Amino acid sequence: MEGRATEMAAEEYLCTRIRRAEQALMAHHEAVLRGYNLSLTQYTVLLTLSRDDGMSGAQLARACGVTQQTMATVLGGLQKKQLITRQPAPAHAKVLLTHLTHEGRTVLDSAYQEVIVLERALTDAFTPDEHTALCALLERATAVLGRQTPTTETRSPRPRD
């Protein structure tokens, strides 16, 4: 019987392997960041701002892959911790631009020194050719996943019972 879900053990599916790798990565980052009282999204915001300071909440939401509502909550938490400041944009007073504070940069720099240890360990686990190949394979897998993800335009309605 072709196409049956029971033909292959779940551990053999590529999606299962990708998910396990993602879970291990997230668990590592969350454990490290807990020591800095940061969530992964908060860390990503700080990292993003370190590269492109003065972004709006909408820009940060897109860059971090979260909704604007989620970003508003994240930014509120970072502001309360005094890791960021938010100031009206010169051209649009209703748009608040987010900037790293000195404390935010200090916390980010310390957290980054711990997070980068995993990146180095992963890089060292592969030969240069394997590393290049793995990156290319992951990019290809990401592209397939993106193409296969239904959108509201492509999703067909489910039949009603």
Side-chain angles (χ1 to χ4, degrees):
M1 291 191 163
E2 194 172 314
R4 292 196 53 183
T6 57
E7 287 180 16
M8 186 185 319
E11 302 81 43
E12 295 177 28
Y13 287 115
L14 282 176
C15 289
T16 300
R17 291 169 189 254
I18 291 169
R19 180 70 179 151
R20 280 198 332 247
E22 180 204 21
Q23 288 172 330
L25 175 66
M26 299 295 283
H28 172 272
H29 283 10
E30 288 169 359
V32 167
L33 297 173
R34 200 173 303 121
Y36 295 93
N37 195 26
L38 291 174
S39 70
L40 187 54
T41 304
Q42 289 175 326
Y43 173 79
T44 305
V45 167
L46 297 179
L47 190 61
T48 302
L49 288 172
S50 76
R51 295 175 179 151
D52 193 10
D53 200 36
M55 295 175 75
S56 70
Q59 290 171 317
L60 284 165
R62 282 190 297 278
C64 297
V66 298
T67 66
Q68 289 187 33
Q69 294 81 2
T70 297
M71 185 53 63
T73 302
V74 169
L75 294 176
L78 289 171
Q79 199 167 12
K80 186 182 277 188
K81 295 175 190 179
Q82 300 181 347
L83 302 179
I84 61 164
T85 60
R86 302 188 73 205
Q87 301 163 345
H92 303 284
K94 290 185 178 183
V95 175
L96 296 177
L97 299 181
T98 307
H99 302 276
L100 275 178
T101 62
H102 175 73
E103 179 66 18
R105 188 165 301 280
T106 299
V107 168
L108 173 63
D109 289 346
S110 296
Y112 181 82
Q113 292 309 311
E114 288 192 53
V115 169
I116 198 66
V117 169
L118 177 62
E119 183 70 31
R120 289 184 184 123
L122 283 169
T123 298
D124 291 346
F126 301 99
T127 67
D129 287 344
E130 288 173 333
H131 181 270
T132 300
L134 178 59
C135 290
L137 292 168
L138 288 171
E139 288 296 326
R140 191 181 328 159
T142 301
V144 170
L145 291 166
R147 287 193 304 269
Q148 293 296 313
T149 302
T151 63
T152 36
E153 295 83 38
T154 62
R155 190 176 312 153
S156 57
R158 288 186 171 181
R160 301 231 181 237
D161 291 331

mmCIF file with all atom_site columns, all heavy atoms in Angstrom, residues 87-97:
data_model
loop_
_atom_site.group_PDB
_atom_site.id
_atom_site.type_symbol
_atom_site.label_atom_id
_atom_site.label_alt_id
_atom_site.label_comp_id
_atom_site.label_asym_id
_atom_site.label_entity_id
_atom_site.label_seq_id
_atom_site.pdbx_PDB_ins_code
_atom_site.Cartn_x
_atom_site.Cartn_y
_atom_site.Cartn_z
_atom_site.occupancy
_atom_site.B_iso_or_equiv
_atom_site.pdbx_formal_charge
_atom_site.auth_seq_id
_atom_site.auth_comp_id
_atom_site.auth_asym_id
_atom_site.auth_atom_id
_atom_site.pdbx_PDB_model_num
ATOM 1  N N   . GLN A 1 87 ? 12.167 55.776 20.674 1.00 0.00 ? 87 GLN A N   1
ATOM 2  C CA  . GLN A 1 87 ? 11.975 57.206 20.463 1.00 0.00 ? 87 GLN A CA  1
ATOM 3  C C   . GLN A 1 87 ? 11.222 57.433 19.167 1.00 0.00 ? 87 GLN A C   1
ATOM 4  O O   . GLN A 1 87 ? 11.397 56.658 18.214 1.00 0.00 ? 87 GLN A O   1
ATOM 5  C CB  . GLN A 1 87 ? 13.333 57.919 20.405 1.00 0.00 ? 87 GLN A CB  1
ATOM 6  C CG  . GLN A 1 87 ? 14.148 57.741 21.662 1.00 0.00 ? 87 GLN A CG  1
ATOM 7  C CD  . GLN A 1 87 ? 15.620 58.086 21.456 1.00 0.00 ? 87 GLN A CD  1
ATOM 8  O OE1 . GLN A 1 87 ? 16.093 58.202 20.341 1.00 0.00 ? 87 GLN A OE1 1
ATOM 9  N NE2 . GLN A 1 87 ? 16.328 58.218 22.555 1.00 0.00 ? 87 GLN A NE2 1
ATOM 10 N N   . PRO A 1 88 ? 10.403 58.482 19.116 1.00 0.00 ? 88 PRO A N   1
ATOM 11 C CA  . PRO A 1 88 ? 9.664  58.770 17.879 1.00 0.00 ? 88 PRO A CA  1
ATOM 12 C C   . PRO A 1 88 ? 10.620 59.005 16.705 1.00 0.00 ? 88 PRO A C   1
ATOM 13 O O   . PRO A 1 88 ? 11.674 59.621 16.857 1.00 0.00 ? 88 PRO A O   1
ATOM 14 C CB  . PRO A 1 88 ? 8.887  60.046 18.199 1.00 0.00 ? 88 PRO A CB  1
ATOM 15 C CG  . PRO A 1 88 ? 8.825  60.097 19.695 1.00 0.00 ? 88 PRO A CG  1
ATOM 16 C CD  . PRO A 1 88 ? 10.083 59.429 20.181 1.00 0.00 ? 88 PRO A CD  1
ATOM 17 N N   . ALA A 1 89 ? 10.220 58.515 15.548 1.00 0.00 ? 89 ALA A N   1
ATOM 18 C CA  . ALA A 1 89 ? 11.003 58.721 14.328 1.00 0.00 ? 89 ALA A CA  1
ATOM 19 C C   . ALA A 1 89 ? 10.900 60.185 13.918 1.00 0.00 ? 89 ALA A C   1
ATOM 20 O O   . ALA A 1 89 ? 9.842  60.804 14.086 1.00 0.00 ? 89 ALA A O   1
ATOM 21 C CB  . ALA A 1 89 ? 10.478 57.825 13.212 1.00 0.00 ? 89 ALA A CB  1
ATOM 22 N N   . PRO A 1 90 ? 11.968 60.756 13.386 1.00 0.00 ? 90 PRO A N   1
ATOM 23 C CA  . PRO A 1 90 ? 11.929 62.164 12.981 1.00 0.00 ? 90 PRO A CA  1
ATOM 24 C C   . PRO A 1 90 ? 10.814 62.464 11.973 1.00 0.00 ? 90 PRO A C   1
ATOM 25 O O   . PRO A 1 90 ? 10.162 63.494 12.065 1.00 0.00 ? 90 PRO A O   1
ATOM 26 C CB  . PRO A 1 90 ? 13.310 62.406 12.352 1.00 0.00 ? 90 PRO A CB  1
ATOM 27 C CG  . PRO A 1 90 ? 14.182 61.324 12.881 1.00 0.00 ? 90 PRO A CG  1
ATOM 28 C CD  . PRO A 1 90 ? 13.277 60.148 13.177 1.00 0.00 ? 90 PRO A CD  1
ATOM 29 N N   . ALA A 1 91 ? 10.589 61.565 11.033 1.00 0.00 ? 91 ALA A N   1
ATOM 30 C CA  . ALA A 1 91 ? 9.602  61.822 9.973  1.00 0.00 ? 91 ALA A CA  1
ATOM 31 C C   . ALA A 1 91 ? 8.183  61.415 10.366 1.00 0.00 ? 91 ALA A C   1
ATOM 32 O O   . ALA A 1 91 ? 7.215  61.940 9.831  1.00 0.00 ? 91 ALA A O   1
ATOM 33 C CB  . ALA A 1 91 ? 10.014 61.097 8.704  1.00 0.00 ? 91 ALA A CB  1
ATOM 34 N N   . HIS A 1 92 ? 8.034  60.463 11.293 1.00 0.00 ? 92 HIS A N   1
ATOM 35 C CA  . HIS A 1 92 ? 6.713  59.958 11.672 1.00 0.00 ? 92 HIS A CA  1
ATOM 36 C C   . HIS A 1 92 ? 6.653  59.807 13.187 1.00 0.00 ? 92 HIS A C   1
ATOM 37 O O   . HIS A 1 92 ? 7.135  58.817 13.730 1.00 0.00 ? 92 HIS A O   1
ATOM 38 C CB  . HIS A 1 92 ? 6.440  58.597 11.023 1.00 0.00 ? 92 HIS A CB  1
ATOM 39 C CG  . HIS A 1 92 ? 6.534  58.617 9.534  1.00 0.00 ? 92 HIS A CG  1
ATOM 40 N ND1 . HIS A 1 92 ? 5.541  59.154 8.744  1.00 0.00 ? 92 HIS A ND1 1
ATOM 41 C CD2 . HIS A 1 92 ? 7.498  58.187 8.684  1.00 0.00 ? 92 HIS A CD2 1
ATOM 42 C CE1 . HIS A 1 92 ? 5.892  59.043 7.474  1.00 0.00 ? 92 HIS A CE1 1
ATOM 43 N NE2 . HIS A 1 92 ? 7.072  58.458 7.415  1.00 0.00 ? 92 HIS A NE2 1
ATOM 44 N N   . ALA A 1 93 ? 6.048  60.759 13.861 1.00 0.00 ? 93 ALA A N   1
ATOM 45 C CA  . ALA A 1 93 ? 6.021  60.765 15.329 1.00 0.00 ? 93 ALA A CA  1
ATOM 46 C C   . ALA A 1 93 ? 5.332  59.533 15.914 1.00 0.00 ? 93 ALA A C   1
ATOM 47 O O   . ALA A 1 93 ? 5.617  59.139 17.043 1.00 0.00 ? 93 ALA A O   1
ATOM 48 C CB  . ALA A 1 93 ? 5.347  62.038 15.835 1.00 0.00 ? 93 ALA A CB  1
ATOM 49 N N   . LYS A 1 94 ? 4.429  58.906 15.144 1.00 0.00 ? 94 LYS A N   1
ATOM 50 C CA  . LYS A 1 94 ? 3.729  57.722 15.658 1.00 0.00 ? 94 LYS A CA  1
ATOM 51 C C   . LYS A 1 94 ? 4.587  56.459 15.580 1.00 0.00 ? 94 LYS A C   1
ATOM 52 O O   . LYS A 1 94 ? 4.276  55.461 16.203 1.00 0.00 ? 94 LYS A O   1
ATOM 53 C CB  . LYS A 1 94 ? 2.419  57.507 14.905 1.00 0.00 ? 94 LYS A CB  1
ATOM 54 C CG  . LYS A 1 94 ? 1.376  58.557 15.214 1.00 0.00 ? 94 LYS A CG  1
ATOM 55 C CD  . LYS A 1 94 ? 0.075  58.233 14.544 1.00 0.00 ? 94 LYS A CD  1
ATOM 56 C CE  . LYS A 1 94 ? -0.964 59.279 14.909 1.00 0.00 ? 94 LYS A CE  1
ATOM 57 N NZ  . LYS A 1 94 ? -2.267 58.968 14.334 1.00 0.00 ? 94 LYS A NZ  1
ATOM 58 N N   . VAL A 1 95 ? 5.656  56.502 14.777 1.00 0.00 ? 95 VAL A N   1
ATOM 59 C CA  . VAL A 1 95 ? 6.552  55.351 14.642 1.00 0.00 ? 95 VAL A CA  1
ATOM 60 C C   . VAL A 1 95 ? 7.664  55.494 15.665 1.00 0.00 ? 95 VAL A C   1
ATOM 61 O O   . VAL A 1 95 ? 8.356  56.514 15.710 1.00 0.00 ? 95 VAL A O   1
ATOM 62 C CB  . VAL A 1 95 ? 7.145  55.273 13.217 1.00 0.00 ? 95 VAL A CB  1
ATOM 63 C CG1 . VAL A 1 95 ? 8.173  54.152 13.119 1.00 0.00 ? 95 VAL A CG1 1
ATOM 64 C CG2 . VAL A 1 95 ? 6.037  55.081 12.194 1.00 0.00 ? 95 VAL A CG2 1
ATOM 65 N N   . LEU A 1 96 ? 7.817  54.463 16.502 1.00 0.00 ? 96 LEU A N   1
ATOM 66 C CA  . LEU A 1 96 ? 8.884  54.473 17.498 1.00 0.00 ? 96 LEU A CA  1
ATOM 67 C C   . LEU A 1 96 ? 10.071 53.666 16.986 1.00 0.00 ? 96 LEU A C   1
ATOM 68 O O   . LEU A 1 96 ? 9.904  52.528 16.552 1.00 0.00 ? 96 LEU A O   1
ATOM 69 C CB  . LEU A 1 96 ? 8.389  53.883 18.819 1.00 0.00 ? 96 LEU A CB  1
ATOM 70 C CG  . LEU A 1 96 ? 7.275  54.649 19.528 1.00 0.00 ? 96 LEU A CG  1
ATOM 71 C CD1 . LEU A 1 96 ? 6.836  53.897 20.781 1.00 0.00 ? 96 LEU A CD1 1
ATOM 72 C CD2 . LEU A 1 96 ? 7.729  56.059 19.881 1.00 0.00 ? 96 LEU A CD2 1
ATOM 73 N N   . LEU A 1 97 ? 11.238 54.263 17.035 1.00 0.00 ? 97 LEU A N   1
ATOM 74 C CA  . LEU A 1 97 ? 12.458 53.585 16.627 1.00 0.00 ? 97 LEU A CA  1
ATOM 75 C C   . LEU A 1 97 ? 13.132 53.032 17.876 1.00 0.00 ? 97 LEU A C   1
ATOM 76 O O   . LEU A 1 97 ? 13.215 53.702 18.903 1.00 0.00 ? 97 LEU A O   1
ATOM 77 C CB  . LEU A 1 97 ? 13.395 54.540 15.885 1.00 0.00 ? 97 LEU A CB  1
ATOM 78 C CG  . LEU A 1 97 ? 12.823 55.139 14.603 1.00 0.00 ? 97 LEU A CG  1
ATOM 79 C CD1 . LEU A 1 97 ? 13.854 56.046 13.938 1.00 0.00 ? 97 LEU A CD1 1
ATOM 80 C CD2 . LEU A 1 97 ? 12.358 54.058 13.642 1.00 0.00 ? 97 LEU A CD2 1
#
